[in-house]
Amino acid sequence: MTVPAAPHPETRADDVADKGVGEGADEWVRAAVREAVAGHAPALLDLSRRLHAEPETAFEEHKSAALCAELLAAHGFEVTAPAHGLDTAFRATIGSGPVTVAIACEYDALPGLGHACGHNLIAAAGVGAALGLASYADELGLTVRVIGTPAEERGAGKALLLDAGAFDGVDAAMMVHPCPFEMADFRSFALGTLDVTYTGRAAHPSLNPHEGRNAADALTVAQVALGLLRQQLPPQWRVHGITTAAGTSPNAIPDRATASYEIRALAAEDLRELRQRVEDCFRAGALATGCEVTLERPEPDYLDFRGDPELLRLWTANARELGRAEPVERPPFACTDMGNVSHVVPSIHPVLDISGGACGPHEAAFAEAAISPAAEQALLDGAVGMAWTAADFAAART
């Protein structure tokens, strides 16, 4: 593993202040930030490995949030935990500059798969970027805000934090994500969730079937309707789900059936139309069988991610300087609650290759890749790249 080099080991905050931003300080700042991340590398790698070893799922990330917050507090950040109404969220701040940059740290894991989405790397890279900027925030005109964001995999933690004011006053927001390829201009689907409950009437299937109202049949009718609907949907719209209950015995007409579904579209505006059409299919099941149906949204919608052009330009240049592979362009392939943030705050969500295409997120093999040498190099590169991008963004505004 290559720890980012430090061309100017003697650089201190006073050196940066003496030179002054805009008067040749840029290269000094970049060298100083790179040196700072290199100095923190052992602690950052340890943080990533500890998160990986004890994966915690949505809204249960108590140890994970604490590990991140404690490392930041130990280096002078003002930490609030819990924060913004979520027990496993935190907020850490340093600097008092006029430009506020938020760095999002995800740390939730997948049920049964652990860190098969590499959120251990996301959290450690975010903490690393903040530590890299900590000593120079005021000189750069920055206020650095680290937001510990639980429940990305299920629960839309960032959407909840956004509504609670966690991103108020933020000029730019950023995070990095591990992937099987390199991409700067990340694009995502908008995602909606739907929980369905049918309530019917139980009866004996031989003695008095005519008195029953079959909840499982209602769900079957809805699934047939959804199958037919797919023929008329645009190519990039998705409908998928599972049956979670549909009776307990073949000799009893089920009076209850449940399902959990997800819908995806290219944009938030399309998602609203898709939701209406999908919900109508479930209403059709109730109408056809005489059952009642309840439709619930278990979490906020995940909006499509919209990268900010200026931040993308800065990140891309910095990633090249770090020697990262040239980014590829791909159509939307995933969803993230960082999309909700991007609709309100200029944002980036670049992805960094940790597996060379051998495996991808939400596969067991990707959990192993998330503690590989390539992953840990991506962690350090991501930390430096985000810190540089934040410094460049602030320099353009001060």
Side-chain angles (χ1 to χ4, degrees), residues 87-358:
D87 288 345
T88 55
F90 71 84
R91 173 173 170 155
T93 306
I94 203 164
S96 56
V99 178
T100 299
V101 171
I103 301 171
C105 289
E106 296 175 6
Y107 32 69
D108 62 317
L110 289 156
L113 286 171
H115 278 292
C117 209
H119 290 191
N120 58 304
L121 300 169
I122 297 171
V127 170
L131 293 178
L133 290 166
S135 296
Y136 315 106
D138 287 331
E139 287 82 352
L140 291 166
L142 272 173
T143 297
V144 180
R145 183 185 303 179
V146 184
I147 304 175
T149 63
E152 190 276 338
E153 294 293 352
R154 191 68 189 244
K158 292 185 194 63
L160 300 175
L161 289 167
L162 192 65
D163 289 343
F167 291 89
D168 288 357
V170 170
D171 298 293
M174 60 186 68
M175 59 173 283
V176 294
H177 199 298
C179 214
F181 47 79
E182 205 90 2
M183 174 186 285
D185 189 8
F186 174 79
R187 298 177 184 179
S188 70
F189 286 103
L191 168 72
T193 52
L194 181 65
D195 283 349
V196 183
T197 302
Y198 287 106
T199 304
R201 184 187 307 154
H204 192 285
S206 177
L207 177 65
N208 60 336
H210 54 283
E211 294 181 3
R213 297 291 182 269
N214 195 316
D217 285 354
L219 183 52
T220 299
V221 170
Q223 289 171 327
V224 171
L226 289 171
L228 295 171
L229 172 66
R230 288 188 179 97
Q231 182 183 356
Q232 271 71 50
L233 295 180
Q236 294 298 325
W237 291 16
R238 304 282 188 267
V239 180
H240 47 94
I242 58 170
T243 298
T244 51
T248 57
S249 174
N251 64 353
I253 290 176
D255 62 354
R256 185 174 183 273
T258 59
S260 180
Y261 268 74
E262 292 184 346
I263 58 174
R264 302 175 192 243
L266 289 177
E269 297 80 9
D270 299 329
L271 193 69
R272 286 190 285 272
E273 179 185 347
L274 178 57
R275 181 181 289 278
Q276 181 63 46
R277 297 177 72 177
V278 167
E279 289 183 349
D280 282 347
C281 291
F282 287 110
R283 294 187 185 98
L287 181 64
T289 58
C291 294
E292 295 180 356
V293 64
T294 301
L295 304 174
E296 297 179 325
R297 299 186 189 189
E299 60 193 49
D301 287 347
Y302 287 54
L303 305 185
D304 52 302
F305 186 83
R306 301 176 180 180
D308 178 74
E310 180 185 3
L311 289 171
L312 282 170
R313 178 181 60 79
L314 296 173
W315 166 267
T316 300
N318 288 326
R320 284 186 178 131
E321 185 171 340
L322 287 166
R324 300 299 302 180
E326 282 299 303
V328 299
E329 293 186 11
R330 292 178 65 105
F333 63 93
C335 300
T336 174
D337 56 5
M338 191 67 177
N340 298 60
V341 177
S342 75
H343 280 239
V344 179
V345 178
S347 302
I348 52 170
H349 182 288
V351 302
L352 304 177
D353 184 8
I354 69 166
S355 72

